[in-house]
Amino acid sequence: MNAAQYWTQMQTDKNALMSRVERLSTLTLPHICLPLGLPHETTAITNDFTSIGAQLAGHITNKLGLTLFRPGVPFFRLGPDKKGKQELQKNGLTIDALTEMLSDAELEAVKELDRAAVRPKLNIILEHLVVTGNVLMCLEDDTIRAMGLRYYCVKRNYKGEVIRIVIREEMCKDELEDDVQGYAPGSSPETKVCWYKLIQRKGKRMVMTQYIGDVLLPEEYNGSWPLEDCPYRPCVWLLPDDSNYGIGL
């Protein structure tokens, strides 16, 4: 099947989940998942009669953000494993000397996080996880993008490992890259087209193919990465057994 066929099949299985996600978003942070057909530019994004849901979701998100990425404090630790310690001894190096160098690397990572200005995106990712329990984190061109549940479908195996992701974005033809517009139907720049990315697990790699509608793009638009390096990562708050999607807080 092509990406559009996979999307139709997987979206049908997700309809009940989307209804629940829209309801949860309405009670907490409406911008996370507005009802279909209501663009935020023309929709009053307010809560019905109370703001306590928004306050709670915002409070939890801020707490998580400060815990995970506290300003000026390393958000991970580096250290040698057992084999690394043995190599240090063979080369006459001490763990103290290595620890000092690794600490410098940890602090440099904090500076890079601030230079890249990705904290707002990380905050949006946490909002999605708290409210809906699902978000697709896209690491493209040294940037982070957070995609809500409306824009992607995911299939997992019995271990919870991702085996297929389908991303669908609807846009005007002139929003596509110049070298891709020729594959889109219609002559008007305002013609609506669907851009699909189909990412599937094949062995120990994730392989991506791209489509404009039903048209498969040439090989140069495809991608392939080792499992741990795939830039498309569907994150969940809590993943129940035998589930493709997570549940939020």
Side-chain angles (χ1 to χ4, degrees), residues 76 84 123 133 142 184:
F76 66 94
N123 189 74
D142 296 326

Side-chain angles (χ1 to χ4, degrees), residues 49-63:
F49 55 87
T50 176
S51 63
I52 189 170
Q55 292 176 25
L56 289 173
H59 175 74
I60 294 171
T61 299
N62 291 334
K63 284 287 188 180

